[in-house]
Amino acid sequence: MTRKPAHLAVYDTFADWETGHTTAHLARAGYGIRTVGPTREPVTTLGGVRIQPDLALDDLRPEDSSLLILTGADLWDSGDDLAPFARTARAFLDAGVPVAAICGATAGLAREGLLDDRDHTSAVSFYLAATGYAGGERYVDADAVTDGSLVTAGPTEPVAFAREVFRLLGVYEGEVLDAWYRLFHASDAAAYAVLQQAAQ
């Protein structure tokens, strides 16, 4: 089966550590990973890595994608440079295409009003409250939260973030998903045997 690619948003100050588990295992499951920048110009991550985006944000359409992934970045909290990515997330959700946002990207979605009526999480509740959004009552103190087609997580939970993406897309399910999470979150060696058996 041919899968539509997953699109990873990239921009200056992109938080490198937040999506490695997600993109690596999506790629292993047959999803192409395409990077989307504000333009096609190279961007530089917080870790100093230069990335040449595969396409510009203006060229991204929900119908061409399986998922939009938004990571944290200093730019989410220092102005409106990344607001177009939050607006694109709205277009994806309106089209029924999943969005996964971690760390500062959750604040961008809050400012866009996308968390007002959805269960969600982030770093801490008062971080989102500072955006002035109206969704405080829907904040969940959890490692990662899925509500419909939206996944949210805080900056210290890249493994839980990946788990929710895999669950949403059906990459791993049930015992296998649980084993994957135990292996990468808790270094549970017994979980490795479950994954090896599932791979046979």
Side-chain angles (χ1 to χ4, degrees):
M1 179 178 71
T2 302
R3 302 181 189 277
K4 294 179 182 179
H7 288 88
L8 173 65
V10 295
Y11 21 71
D12 287 331
T13 72
F14 169 101
D16 306 65
W17 64 93
E18 293 177 342
T19 61
H21 293 87
T22 302
T23 54
H25 290 272
L26 286 178
R28 284 189 166 189
Y31 290 87
I33 306 298
R34 308 229 27 227
T35 53
V36 183
T39 67
R40 291 286 310 281
E41 293 299 310
V43 299
T44 304
T45 72
L46 277 174
V49 177
R50 285 173 58 83
I51 298 175
Q52 174 75 55
D54 293 315
L55 71 158
L57 186 61
D58 285 347
D59 297 325
L60 177 62
R61 302 183 309 168
E63 59 266 32
D64 296 331
S65 184
S66 291
L67 170 73
L68 174 62
I69 305 168
L70 300 172
T71 70
D74 291 346
L75 290 179
W76 283 112
D77 297 318
S78 62
D80 295 328
D81 288 354
L82 300 186
F85 286 92
R87 290 194 291 273
T88 298
R90 177 181 292 282
F92 267 62
L93 293 170
D94 286 349
V97 180
V99 172
I102 186 170
C103 188
T106 62
L109 298 190
R111 292 184 189 97
E112 181 64 20
L114 294 174
L115 304 184
D116 290 350
D117 301 310
R118 293 177 172 91
D119 290 343
H120 60 276
T121 194
S122 184
V124 288
S125 60
F126 56 81
Y127 170 64
L128 291 186
T131 69
Y133 83 132
E137 293 186 356
R138 301 295 294 268
Y139 187 90
V140 180
D141 189 9
D143 56 9
V145 172
T146 300
D147 187 327
S149 296
L150 178 65
V151 172
T152 53
T156 61
E157 298 295 345
V159 178
F161 180 67
R163 178 197 66 207
E164 293 304 300
V165 169
F166 302 155
R167 188 196 320 271
L168 184 61
L169 296 183
V171 172
Y172 304 127
E173 299 175 316
E175 182 183 41
V176 174
L177 179 64
D178 177 66
W180 183 91
Y181 181 72
R182 287 188 289 114
L183 178 62
F184 287 96
H185 178 73
S187 299
D188 183 347
Y192 182 75
V194 175
L195 294 176
Q196 286 296 100
Q197 185 175 17
Q200 293 175 356

